[in-house]
Amino acid sequence: MATVMDPVTRTGENRETGWVNRLFTSEGSTPEYQELKFTLHRKLLDRINLEALSSMSGERVRTEVRTAVARLVEEEKTPLSLVEKDRVIEEILDEVFGLGPLEPLLQDPTISDILVTTPHRVYVERGGKLYRTPVEFKDDAHLLRIIEKIVSRVGRRVDESSPMVDARLPDGSRVNAVIPPVAVDGPLLSIRRFGRHALKGEDLVAKYAMTEGMLELLKGCVRARLNILICGGTGSGKTTLLNAVSSYIPEDERIVTIEDAAELRLQQTHVARMETRPANVEGTGAIHIRQLVINALRMRPDRIIVGEVRGEEALDMLQAMNTGHDGSLTTLHANTPRDGLGRLEVMVGMANANMGIRSIRQQIASAVDLFVQTSRFSDGTRRVTHITEVVGMEQDIITLQDIFLFEKTGITESGKVRGRFRATGIRPKFYDRLKTCGITLPTQMFQTVVEIN
């Protein structure tokens, strides 16, 4: 049996009870109720003059449409209570101005993922755990209309010839949609949400994602312009950590960011942001990450931040790190730092540069200074599990040494993961480089153990 979420409320509004009722009463999901709502929606579109409304302010438009919907509800022969009338008015306004049934979920700051698997099965992730919600769409066509509304806002398209699309919402949330024929049982929609305020390093320490010593080391590495790769699985907190550590880049440096779907939220003012572009209807005009990395080198960057490397652009990123653009940051999917090295080798090989494996490894060893590994555990917590230095080459092998580790030691009766953050006792090779940059870290920090119970 599916677990129902905690009630969702809209902060700053006087309709909390209405929002809870409309989400958590079974009536809202009956076919009769859905049909009534869509009948009213169609009548509204026939009655209002959209061109006249376009010249009004946003708040006045909403007021005018609310009044029109209220009149339509009063004209309906279907008997509705005051609570039901208020609910159907709000849901129609969501259809007109927002993303329909998803709006209450988007207003809940505790939800990190919204996952639509069918029109009648909508799940959310809260606190690292998945819950099924009572939210429903009327049918596939309704869900597809919401998807088209999302992607059209950012100039993307989704149709049978291009059935997969990445997009973003105005609040920065990342959206992935897949429609038939690729999606077998109807449209699929995934929304990765980010908090209204980007987490800082201190917030991650407070959440036991890392220790103060680990944060101080990462701060020093960023300020000393070390090249850092953040590794982890899907949903392990890579982007959150990248946002947090990038906040320690000095304000007087020029930063160029490159992403598939813009989601980084840097705190600095001098940031030049670029985003890839898919092919047009004719199949031309696509702009890939590799092209943007090459172009970024012509933009006089002090730092280059790539949201994620996943292909041949890895070679250009490494070459940029090796040619004066140190202090760069990026993420990639990998389960351990050693796996991250293997993935980098494969991605560089995709660039068809006719480089031997030894040359590729030499490029990596000279470009990358630090791997930071993130992981999501069974209780939903996300932690930094490795801070690992790239030491250099020994014959044909890249040598790594762990500086900090998180070791899982068990699970409590309530299901919480128990473990400890442990410094390995090794002072990193780049320690002297930090000192020459005026960054002095106490050597005792490389001997610490912090228990998490």
Side-chain angles (χ1 to χ4, degrees), residues 175-249:
V175 179
N176 176 266
V178 185
I179 68 169
V182 173
V184 178
D185 298 317
L188 299 170
L189 178 65
S190 304
I191 300 177
R192 166 66 55 82
R193 302 191 61 227
F194 302 96
R196 290 184 177 137
H197 304 287
L199 292 178
K200 298 180 179 178
E202 292 74 17
D203 299 321
L204 298 180
V205 172
K207 291 176 177 289
Y208 303 107
M210 67 174 82
T211 64
E212 289 185 12
M214 295 165 75
L215 177 60
E216 288 303 313
L217 180 64
L218 292 178
K219 279 185 188 179
C221 290
V222 171
R223 289 170 178 163
R225 301 182 65 87
L226 271 65
N227 294 317
I228 301 174
L229 264 66
I230 299 174
C231 305
T234 301
S236 64
K238 298 187 299 298
T239 303
T240 298
L241 181 61
L242 180 58
N243 268 319
V245 299
S246 66
S247 67
Y248 302 115
I249 297 174

Side-chain angles (χ1 to χ4, degrees), residues 151-328:
V151 301
S152 64
R153 288 177 176 176
V154 291
R156 303 284 171 101
R157 66 185 179 90
V158 61
D159 51 38
E160 284 193 10
S161 64
S162 180
M164 298 183 293
V165 66
D166 286 313
R168 68 179 185 276
L169 298 178
D171 67 357
S173 297
R174 186 173 65 201
V175 179
N176 176 266
V178 185
I179 68 169
V182 173
V184 178
D185 298 317
L188 299 170
L189 178 65
S190 304
I191 300 177
R192 166 66 55 82
R193 302 191 61 227
F194 302 96
R196 290 184 177 137
H197 304 287
L199 292 178
K200 298 180 179 178
E202 292 74 17
D203 299 321
L204 298 180
V205 172
K207 291 176 177 289
Y208 303 107
M210 67 174 82
T211 64
E212 289 185 12
M214 295 165 75
L215 177 60
E216 288 303 313
L217 180 64
L218 292 178
K219 279 185 188 179
C221 290
V222 171
R223 289 170 178 163
R225 301 182 65 87
L226 271 65
N227 294 317
I228 301 174
L229 264 66
I230 299 174
C231 305
T234 301
S236 64
K238 298 187 299 298
T239 303
T240 298
L241 181 61
L242 180 58
N243 268 319
V245 299
S246 66
S247 67
Y248 302 115
I249 297 174
E251 183 67 36
D252 61 352
E253 294 188 16
R254 174 173 168 80
I255 306 168
V256 177
T257 69
I258 299 165
E259 301 174 81
D260 266 332
E263 60 190 28
L264 292 173
R265 293 184 290 175
L266 274 62
Q267 309 302 309
Q268 294 82 351
T269 54
H270 196 165
V271 180
R273 305 171 71 204
M274 293 191 290
E275 183 181 53
T276 61
R277 185 181 72 185
N280 58 24
V281 178
E282 291 77 28
T284 61
I287 305 294
H288 302 290
I289 283 188
R290 185 173 194 189
Q291 294 167 272
L292 296 180
V293 172
I294 294 170
N295 189 76
L297 299 176
R298 305 180 184 124
M299 297 174 66
R300 198 263 176 222
D302 288 306
R303 312 251 188 167
I304 297 174
I305 299 179
V306 179
E308 181 184 340
V309 291
R310 60 183 69 175
E312 57 190 17
E313 68 275 3
L315 174 60
D316 304 287
M317 184 74 189
L318 292 176
Q319 290 177 337
M321 291 174 170
N322 272 325
T323 54
H325 299 91
D326 47 354
S328 297

Side-chain angles (χ1 to χ4, degrees), residues 117-172:
T117 55
T118 74
H120 308 295
R121 287 184 180 272
V122 179
Y123 297 83
V124 298
E125 180 186 297
R126 177 186 277 127
K129 294 284 190 177
L130 288 176
Y131 302 90
R132 185 178 173 185
T133 77
V135 171
E136 292 189 3
F137 293 82
K138 182 174 184 289
D139 50 28
D140 283 357
H142 183 198
L143 175 54
L144 184 58
R145 189 162 64 251
I146 296 299
I147 290 173
E148 289 173 341
K149 194 171 187 180
I150 293 171
V151 301
S152 64
R153 288 177 176 176
V154 291
R156 303 284 171 101
R157 66 185 179 90
V158 61
D159 51 38
E160 284 193 10
S161 64
S162 180
M164 298 183 293
V165 66
D166 286 313
R168 68 179 185 276
L169 298 178
D171 67 357

